[in-house]
């Protein structure tokens, strides 16, 4: 059904689109290139684009100067842990709301979403004090708890919209065919629910990985994930562009790749299916 | 289909989520409200005393509050204007037949996945730095004096950084909506001799209304709480020139240890955000029914 478009026009639009795409992407590309430069090349004026001495020493240096692997690992634990814990709590709830809705289900959903609209700064002080008194400041477990709670409404909502699309007739049909409840869940429902759960997992890992308000305020060193660790490069003694770039490249690469794979789910997840 | 049995099972399944979220909302909120009526400094434990609305009075009459409020509004408004208009333009462009559309799309949405502290530091050091930044080099090459972005125009600099991060979101949402637009409707209008602008105003724009509203409302919620970008670039300064409400409360609580005053500020932020939230809940509620 492609409309006929002259090649000339297509070439012009392509040129404009590519220029804009590269401009938007440029800061990321530049960070990537800088991560392979020596510190001297990194601040050279005029800037060197491709013809510099490529080196991987920054990547090694970043690890040896401050335990980068620890912070990377903190980010992994924090985002995976909070997402899995969130799924564990949210799957039954979303399941119940999708398959046995009551008059108040919608109100509950709305209320859950409204907790997401409380600005985090309104809860910062009590959470900080509770964490201080409970010894949870700068601990992985503390971060997992907070991130689970802040992303729980989104997890419930996403799962709900996916579960809602599983038609009830299929359940009835399988029941008429004499399937037991266990079989019904294993062979009928699970295969239909898995894609929705996977999308939710993906989006929440991305959100948790990049979350910066709570990680910056509740961690300092031991449990600091990459968001906090990278921020330490803003101090004057941390002004090493090439090393900052190496640390940044490693911090954003996994999520960039995950994100590119999950564009569609992202739109759905972030707008709760309001935009199709 | 719902029997009493399944209904109580459903309640049981929902209980953990509901209880946790209820606790997450009620406990901090009540504590913040309580603190906001106390004279409470972290450095002087045991010296708390009830002061009534004094904290609110101080917070609201502090010139920094007025600056922070204006900055918050400018930040939200500025980023919204750039991302909505830019996102619309990019979506229209990417919707055209182009070579390598998939790759361009990937390039354009990439900034959304960059963590805020990384994007803020990359922009601060490698682009906006008045000595080593690329912008400074471009300015010098063209014979201009380089601008010290974060010192001279701190709020605009923060807006640029945040807009770069959110432009992909707007583009992605609008592109998704644009691609669901009925091709035939556009073709029919084209055959009837409608030019690009009438087609845009009468067909595309009404179709995009929902996507635009969703972008505005979701971005507003996030933009009201911008924090990391300010913390690592300007620290709210110089003075209060780039302090928003979130940063102001943070500074009062964890830098000046004034728990009472910060709590009053937190409550003010909650009230402002709720005014926005009411609109969002209404909108999504409507979509849920449709």
């Amino acid at each position: 059904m492609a409309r006929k478009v002259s090649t000339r026009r297509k070439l012009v639009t392509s040129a404009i689109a590519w220029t804009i795409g590269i401009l938007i992407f440029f800061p990321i590309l530049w960070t990537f290139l800088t991560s392979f430069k020596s510190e001297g090349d990194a601040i050279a004026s005029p800037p060197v684009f491709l013809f510099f001495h490529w080196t991987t020493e920054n990547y090694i240096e970043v690890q040896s100067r401050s335990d980068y692997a620890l912070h990377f690992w903190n980010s992994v634990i924090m985002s995976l842990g909070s997402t899995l814990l969130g799924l564990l709590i949210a799957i039954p709830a979303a399941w119940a709301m999708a398959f046995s809705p009551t008059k108040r289900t919608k109100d509950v959903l709305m209320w859950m979403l409204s907790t997401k609209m409380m600005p985090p700064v309104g809860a910062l002080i009590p959470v900080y004090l509770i964490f201080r008194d409970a010894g949870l400041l700068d601990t992985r477990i503390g971060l997992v708890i907070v991130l689970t709670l802040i992303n729980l409404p989104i997890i419930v909502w996403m799962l709900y919209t996916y579960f809602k699309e599983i038609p009830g007739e299929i359940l009835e049909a399988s029941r008429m065919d004499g399937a037991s409840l266990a079989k019904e869940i294993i062979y009928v429902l699970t295969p239909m629910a898995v894609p929705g759960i996977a999308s939710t997992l993906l989006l929440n890992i991305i959100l948790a990985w990049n979350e910066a308000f709570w990680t910056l305020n509740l961690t300092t060193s031991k449990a600091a994930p990459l968001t906090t660790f990278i921020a330490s490069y803003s101090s004057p003694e941390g002004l090493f562009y090439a090393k900052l770039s190496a640390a940044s490249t490693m911090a954003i690469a996994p999520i960039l790749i995950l994100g590119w794979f999950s564009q569609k789910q992202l739109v759905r997840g972030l707008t709760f299916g309001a935009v199709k | 289909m719902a029997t009493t049995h399944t209904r109580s099972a459903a309640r049981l399944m929902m209980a953990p989520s509901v209880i946790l979220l209820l606790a997450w909302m009620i406990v901090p909120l009540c504590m913040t409200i309580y603190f906001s009526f106390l004279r409470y400094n972290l450095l002087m434990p045991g010296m708390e005393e009830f002061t009534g609305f004094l904290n609110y009075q101080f917070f609201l009459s502090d010139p920094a509050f007025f600056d922070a409020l204006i900055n918050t509004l400018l930040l939200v408004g500025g980023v919204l204007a750039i991302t909505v208009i830019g996102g619309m333009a990019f979506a229209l462009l990417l919707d055209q037949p182009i070579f390598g559309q998939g790759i361009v799309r990937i390039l354009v949405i990439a900034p959304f996945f960059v963590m805020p502290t990384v994007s803020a530091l990359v922009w601060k050091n490698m682009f906006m730095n008045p000595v080593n930044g690329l912008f400074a080099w471009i300015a010098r090459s063209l014979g201009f004096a380089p601008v010290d972005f974060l010192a001279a125009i701190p709020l605009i600099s923060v807006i640029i950084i945040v807009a770069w991060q959110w432009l992909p979101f707007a583009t992605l949402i609008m592109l998704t909506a644009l691609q669901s637009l009925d091709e035939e409707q556009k073709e029919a209008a084209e055959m009837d001799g409608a030019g690009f602008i009438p087609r845009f105003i009468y067909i595309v724009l009404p179709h995009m209304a929902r996507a635009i509203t969703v972008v505005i409302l979701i971005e507003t919620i996030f933009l009201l709480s911008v924090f990391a970008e300010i913390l690592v670039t300007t620290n709210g300064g110089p003075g209060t020139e780039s302090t928003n409400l979130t940063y102001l409360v943070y500074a009062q609580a964890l830098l000046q240890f004034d728990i009472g005053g910060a709590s009053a500020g937190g409550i003010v932020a909650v009230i402002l955000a709720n005014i926005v939230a009411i609109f969002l809940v209404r909108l999504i509620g409507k979509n849920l029914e449709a």
Side-chain angles (χ1 to χ4, degrees):
Chain A
M1 211 197 66
R3 279 189 292 163
K4 286 183 205 72
V5 179
S6 68
T7 319
R8 204 189 127 107
R9 195 181 139 192
K10 193 170 169 182
L11 271 174
V12 174
T13 2
S14 299
I16 301 172
W18 274 90
T19 311
I20 288 179
I22 290 167
L23 276 180
I24 297 271
F25 189 72
F26 188 74
I28 299 172
L29 180 69
W30 191 239
T31 310
F32 178 74
L33 289 177
T34 307
S35 73
F36 292 103
K37 293 176 184 173
S38 64
E39 288 298 346
D41 280 340
I43 55 167
S45 183
V48 280
F49 281 86
L50 288 171
F51 306 104
F52 53 84
H53 175 66
W54 289 66
T55 169
T56 52
E57 68 178 19
N58 296 311
Y59 287 89
I60 299 158
E61 188 84 348
V62 161
Q63 167 60 25
S64 64
R65 258 165 45 114
S66 46
D67 196 354
Y68 184 89
L70 171 82
H71 302 295
F72 190 88
W73 192 230
N74 284 340
S75 272
V76 172
I77 290 178
M78 170 192 83
S79 44
L80 271 183
S82 68
T83 304
L84 292 178
L85 188 60
L87 281 174
L88 203 67
I89 300 165
I91 288 175
W95 195 264
M97 288 194 272
F99 290 117
S100 110
T102 61
K103 264 182 265 164
R104 285 177 41 220
T105 302
K106 217 187 102 180
D107 296 333
V108 174
L109 274 169
M110 277 305 150
W111 164 75
M112 282 186 174
L113 194 61
S114 72
T115 62
K116 192 74 201 126
M117 283 146 208
M118 182 163 90
V121 80
L124 171 66
I125 296 147
V127 172
Y128 185 87
L129 294 177
I130 291 171
F131 267 46
R132 188 195 61 180
D133 295 342
L136 286 171
L137 278 182
D138 205 13
T139 61
R140 288 168 175 175
I141 186 86
L143 266 195
V144 169
I145 293 172
V146 166
L147 285 171
T148 304
L149 288 168
I150 61 169
N151 284 334
L152 191 57
I154 294 182
I155 298 183
V156 172
W157 259 90
M158 274 189 80
L159 290 173
Y160 171 79
T161 57
Y162 277 107
F163 290 166
K164 197 89 185 132
E165 278 173 16
I166 299 175
E169 289 82 15
I170 288 188
L171 285 187
E172 278 166 40
S174 69
R175 245 173 247 167
M176 290 231 242
D177 289 344
S180 65
L181 183 67
K183 278 195 174 153
E184 190 180 299
I185 289 176
I186 296 171
Y187 294 111
V188 184
L189 291 178
T190 311
M192 300 189 79
V194 162
I197 295 175
S199 309
T200 312
L201 183 95
L202 224 53
L203 177 63
N204 274 278
I205 289 175
I206 296 173
L207 289 180
W209 186 275
N210 289 340
E211 203 286 327
F213 181 80
W214 292 105
T215 55
L216 281 169
N217 280 313
L218 297 178
T219 63
T220 46
S221 55
K222 280 202 310 291
L226 291 169
T227 41
T228 313
F229 170 69
I230 301 277
S232 70
Y233 276 83
S234 68
S235 60
E237 65 267 39
L239 273 182
F240 298 104
Y241 291 4
K243 282 169 201 72
L244 164 68
S245 299
S248 301
T249 303
M250 285 189 280
I252 62 179
I255 289 311
L256 211 53
I257 293 162
L258 265 192
W260 281 337
F261 280 119
S262 55
Q263 289 176 44
K264 284 225 172 73
Q265 290 87 326
L266 188 88
V267 175
R268 239 193 103 138
L270 286 172
T271 61
F272 308 111
V275 176
K276 289 242 167 77
Chain B
M1 218 178 72
T3 59
T4 335
H5 178 70
T6 59
R7 209 171 287 157
S8 57
R11 283 224 183 96
L12 209 65
M13 286 161 86
M14 282 165 62
S17 302
V18 172
I19 292 169
L20 280 174
L21 281 175
L22 201 62
W24 172 245
M25 191 173 79
I26 300 275
V27 174
L29 199 59
C30 289
M31 285 173 79
T32 308
I33 292 174
Y34 171 67
F35 291 152
S36 71
F37 292 115
L38 293 182
R39 207 175 79 192
Y40 182 2
N41 191 303
L42 262 191
L43 298 180
M44 297 182 284
M47 297 281 286
E48 298 91 39
E49 54 179 291
F50 187 76
T51 54
F53 283 92
L54 210 58
N55 283 323
Y56 288 92
Q57 208 179 318
F58 281 137
F59 186 82
L60 293 173
S61 62
D62 183 350
F65 164 71
F66 189 70
D67 292 346
L69 186 65
I70 298 291
N71 287 340
T72 307
L73 295 177
L74 286 175
L75 181 64
V76 175
V79 175
L80 274 181
I82 297 173
T83 56
V84 169
I85 295 169
M88 184 61 130
F90 287 2
L92 283 171
L93 184 67
L94 288 177
D95 195 36
Q96 307 292 316
I98 50 177
F99 296 107
Q101 194 178 31
I103 300 170
V104 179
R105 190 176 159 146
I106 278 176
L107 294 178
V108 170
I109 65 167
F112 189 66
F113 305 114
V114 176
M115 59 175 65
T117 45
V118 165
S119 74
L121 277 178
V122 163
W123 277 92
K124 174 189 177 183
N125 293 322
M126 283 143 71
F127 290 91
M128 293 173 168
N129 187 294
V131 183
N132 303 318
L134 272 185
F135 291 162
W137 173 72
I138 293 170
R140 275 197 303 268
S141 317
L142 298 174
F144 297 106
V147 179
D148 188 355
F149 281 87
L150 292 162
I153 42 168
L155 189 63
I156 293 173
S157 306
V158 173
I159 290 176
I160 293 172
I161 297 171
V162 178
W164 178 74
Q165 291 178 276
W166 281 95
L167 193 56
F169 173 76
T171 308
L172 191 59
I173 302 290
M174 294 202 204
L175 184 59
T176 308
L178 212 52
Q179 284 174 340
S180 72
L181 178 59
D182 199 358
E183 234 6 78
E184 279 157 34
Q185 211 179 344
K186 267 196 286 187
E187 265 172 61
E190 219 167 324
M191 271 184 220
D192 288 345
F196 175 77
I197 291 168
R199 258 185 296 153
F200 178 74
I201 293 176
Y202 295 110
I203 299 176
V204 178
L205 219 47
H207 176 80
M208 299 292 285
R210 182 185 275 187
I212 295 172
T213 335
V214 167
V215 168
I216 291 177
L217 294 171
I218 289 182
E219 280 193 18
T220 308
I221 296 292
F222 281 92
L223 295 175
L224 280 172
S225 306
V226 165
F227 174 74
E229 293 83 346
I230 295 175
L231 180 78
V232 297
T233 53
T234 63
N235 266 314
T240 51
E241 273 183 59
S242 59
T243 299
N244 68 352
L245 270 180
T246 300
Y247 193 85
L248 183 68
V249 174
Y250 153 82
Q252 200 148 11
L254 299 183
L255 300 181
Q256 297 162 26
F257 306 111
D258 176 9
I259 297 299
S263 297
I267 295 302
V268 172
V270 169
I271 292 169
L272 289 176
N274 268 289
I275 296 171
V276 179
I278 289 167
F279 291 103
L280 181 56
V281 171
R282 284 231 177 115
L283 177 97
I284 294 186
K286 237 184 254 165
N287 285 330
L288 198 68
E289 278 157 30

